[in-house]
Amino acid sequence: MTYCIKPGCLTPENLDSAHFCQTCGERLRLKERYRPLRPLGSGGFGRTFLAVDEDIPSQPHCVIKQLYLENFDPDTFPKAKELFQQEAIRLNELGKHPQIPTLLAHFEENQQFYLIQDFIPGLTLSEELNQQGHYNEEQIWELLRELLPLIRYIHSHRVLHRDIKPANIIRRQDDRKLVLIDFGVAKLLTDTALLQTGTIIGSPEYMAPEQLKGKAFWASDLYSVGVTCLYLLTQVSPFDLYDTFNETWVWRDFLPPGTQISDRLLKILDQLTHSRLKQRYQSADQVITDLTPATSPPVGTHFINLRQPKTRKTKQNNLTSEVGIDYRQLKQLLATHKWQKADEETWIILGQACGKFPGYYLKLDDIQELPCEDLHTLDQLWVKYSKNHFGLTVQRRIYQEVEADYPRLCDRVGWSIHNPRVPDRAYRFNLKAPVGHLPSRRWVGGYYDWWRHAEVMADKLEQCGL
């Protein structure tokens, strides 16, 4: 089926082969390239559609996001177009994160604005909940540990999501990672004169009190994260979990029989969903700090204050760091041969070592700034627990053996030559993998020189005397 996305079309379904809508006569393909298949959702001022990109031989799926403003004032169209361009730039920057859909195109057609983004195969948390039932405490911990660094990332780019809810979080099919979707251009317009003051963007069930009044802050997104957790724990609408007469949450009364929630998680959820803005967490960093216990931090939740100079020097069980990184989690993962988790933790540590957010792709100058002491600790852990099978120095030795020939290095260690940002399935997370296969190069960034990471890392290790 080909779907007509002209607002107001009464019978939008058309044959696959149709080029014009049989009802309204509208041209069906956007830019003569993107063919809408069916609607995915709508809300606020946006509509989304599943589509295929017919310009590419494989005709991959993509998502069309249409900014839909009914009764739009033509006099404000130039300003709307300018803001749309600004928001597209923001979305393009956000889409560089592996857990946010990539922006493929943006354009204006027939005085409607469109964004084309990656289609993410997988189930939303709403769909997952319907299939598997309510979450337990450990699943909530895992959700918070993965989602909050992502919230921190978008906030660091001065972007509020404004509509965090289970339906806007997808568990990606191929790697089970959480992907945050539905960054709509209308969210930018709410702060301008183009929309009436107090216009509400978001889903009321999950919205903070101040957002219901037309004002949103960083803490408003965190409130939505907390309410999402309450819904996943109870499988009950948030409207029913809040006693409006007494102005208090009663979600504990709706927990399934036998469900136990620790005092520590209760405290975090209560502070996330506090009705008073000042009593709530004010940043994702604050929540991440509370997620990390004093001993044995959970996987992927290491955090250092990125604004402080790198002057701390710590030592835990001979695991030294120039910048205050705790290596005990990596040690535990490697000691138990959890190679994939250890590889993910390594990326986080490399980012921390140069003062970057989790998920940041290191460039050549970042590699050159890595502290020698941390490289030594990181490498010795991999070498020790893999019995010299994996490690940074193992990879450097192979690089030297192939006379700095990058394709030959890839052949020896079992990497693809092109496209460094390959999915987990391209790696082998066991000791049957080629020598030097891990740690992977998932952390490699750069546009035209990403293949030089092996050369620069080899030079850095030599400078450090490793």
Side-chain angles (χ1 to χ4, degrees):
M1 180 179 72
T2 300
Y3 198 89
C4 177
I5 62 176
K6 181 180 179 179
C9 181
L10 298 177
T11 310
E13 295 87 358
N14 292 268
L15 297 175
D16 287 351
S17 57
H19 288 272
F20 295 90
C21 179
Q22 63 182 355
T23 301
C24 67
E26 185 78 2
R27 188 179 295 275
L28 292 172
R29 286 161 177 76
L30 293 177
K31 305 289 285 187
E32 295 295 327
R33 172 174 183 172
Y34 304 105
R35 180 167 66 89
L37 300 178
R38 59 180 173 85
L40 292 175
S42 63
F45 299 95
R47 302 195 300 169
T48 59
F49 304 88
L50 179 65
V52 293
D53 184 350
E54 295 187 333
D55 237 22
I56 297 178
S58 62
Q59 297 197 353
H61 284 122
C62 58
V63 172
I64 296 172
K65 296 183 66 67
Q66 179 190 61
L67 175 62
Y68 174 52
L69 297 176
E70 193 173 11
N71 301 322
F72 192 48
D73 183 357
D75 293 338
T76 62
F77 185 81
K79 182 61 175 178
K81 187 172 184 178
E82 176 188 344
L83 291 170
F84 174 76
Q85 296 290 340
Q86 293 176 14
E87 185 71 352
I89 292 172
R90 276 182 162 181
L91 292 174
N92 183 57
E93 185 65 27
L94 287 178
K96 294 177 182 178
H97 192 285
Q99 289 169 271
I100 294 175
T102 301
L103 180 65
L104 304 175
H106 68 282
F107 51 87
E108 175 262 324
E109 192 168 287
N110 296 329
Q111 292 200 323
Q112 297 287 338
F113 299 111
Y114 295 97
L115 302 170
I116 310 297
Q117 291 182 302
D118 269 342
F119 172 69
I120 309 298
L123 296 178
T124 67
L125 295 192
S126 294
E127 295 167 333
E128 184 177 87
L129 191 70
N130 290 334
Q131 286 191 8
Q132 302 178 10
H134 66 88
Y135 278 38
N136 58 32
E137 175 166 346
E138 183 55 37
Q139 289 173 305
I140 295 297
W141 283 119
E142 291 177 1
L143 172 75
L144 291 172
R145 290 166 188 161
E146 186 170 356
L147 187 58
L148 282 161
L150 189 52
I151 303 301
R152 176 171 63 183
Y153 172 82
I154 67 171
H155 287 180
S156 73
H157 285 73
R158 313 303 297 172
V159 173
L160 283 170
H161 189 281
R162 283 188 170 96
D163 199 15
I164 296 171
K165 59 183 179 180
N168 283 339
I169 305 170
I170 294 177
R171 192 176 301 280
R172 190 161 48 203
Q173 184 174 307
D174 61 353
D175 61 5
R176 308 291 294 165
K177 295 286 187 183
L178 297 181
V179 178
L180 191 58
I181 64 171
D182 195 26
F183 291 82
V185 65
K187 297 176 178 63
L188 176 66
L189 303 186
T190 56
D191 296 328
T192 74
L194 294 179
L195 296 178
Q196 186 178 2
T197 302
T199 300
I200 296 174
I201 295 294
S203 303
E205 282 183 289
Y206 296 90
M207 286 169 55
E210 68 276 3
Q211 194 174 345
L212 286 167
K213 298 175 182 178
K215 296 289 185 179
F217 305 89
W218 308 126
S220 307
D221 274 351
L222 298 174
Y223 182 95
S224 299
V225 170
V227 178
T228 292
C229 292
L230 303 188
Y231 175 67
L232 294 174
L233 281 168
T234 62
Q235 213 167 353
V236 174
S237 166
F239 282 143
D240 296 324
L241 299 178
Y242 190 80
D243 182 346
T244 54
F245 183 78
N246 293 300
E247 296 185 343
T248 185
W249 286 101
V250 292
W251 63 271
R252 291 167 174 80
D253 297 338
F254 291 88
L255 287 171
T259 301
Q260 295 184 350
I261 306 296
S262 66
D263 290 341
R264 182 163 158 253
L265 182 57
L266 288 174
K267 181 179 178 181
I268 290 174
L269 294 177
D270 285 345
Q271 191 167 347
L272 278 170
T273 58
H274 203 292
S275 59
R276 295 184 180 180
L277 180 65
K278 291 184 179 180
Q279 299 299 316
R280 205 180 306 149
Y281 286 110
Q282 298 299 300
S283 70
D285 289 340
Q286 292 178 354
V287 195
I288 291 171
T289 299
D290 282 357
L291 287 177
T292 309
T295 59
S296 187
V299 177
T301 57
H302 293 304
F303 171 69
I304 59 175
N305 188 336
L306 302 179
R307 298 190 180 188
Q308 293 181 355
K310 302 177 183 179
T311 56
R312 294 184 295 162
K313 187 169 183 175
T314 61
K315 183 175 181 179
Q316 313 101 0
N317 301 324
N318 297 319
L319 303 178
T320 56
S321 171
E322 290 183 23
V323 291
I325 296 173
D326 190 338
Y327 285 92
R328 287 173 294 181
Q329 182 65 39
L330 178 63
K331 178 181 178 181
Q332 176 66 21
L333 292 170
L334 289 170
T336 54
H337 288 189
K338 295 178 180 177
W339 305 113
Q340 183 169 352
K341 288 289 187 182
D343 191 56
E344 295 170 358
E345 184 77 356
T346 297
W347 184 8
I348 293 171
I349 288 172
L350 286 169
Q352 287 180 345
C354 60
K356 304 297 183 181
F357 290 103
Y360 176 86
Y361 290 97
L362 275 66
K363 300 177 177 60
L364 299 183
D365 55 348
D366 296 317
I367 298 173
Q368 293 166 344
E369 295 298 320
L370 289 170
C372 290
E373 196 159 288
D374 288 84
L375 282 174
H376 177 264
T377 299
L378 187 68
D379 179 63
Q380 74 167 355
L381 287 172
W382 274 97
V383 171
K384 176 181 177 180
Y385 290 106
S386 70
K387 297 183 178 179
N388 297 305
H389 197 80
F390 299 137
L392 297 174
T393 53
V394 175
Q395 293 169 352
R396 185 200 61 180
R397 172 177 56 80
I398 296 173
Y399 185 68
Q400 292 172 337
E401 289 175 358
V402 298
E403 300 177 339
D405 186 316
Y406 187 73
R408 289 175 61 195
L409 169 69
C410 293
D411 183 62
R412 282 277 299 273
V413 302
W415 294 344
S416 62
I417 295 176
H418 302 288
N419 184 14
R421 298 177 190 177
V422 294
D424 284 348
R425 63 175 178 270
Y427 294 107
R428 297 170 59 184
F429 296 104
N430 55 63
L431 288 173
K432 294 181 180 180
V435 173
H437 188 67
L438 298 176
S440 73
R441 52 180 179 172
R442 67 173 75 220
W443 47 269
V444 175
Y447 292 97
Y448 303 109
D449 52 8
W450 53 263
W451 61 88
R452 291 190 56 218
H453 76 280
E455 170 195 344
V456 176
M457 180 61 82
D459 291 342
K460 179 65 180 181
L461 293 172
E462 187 170 350
Q463 291 171 15
C464 294
L466 299 176

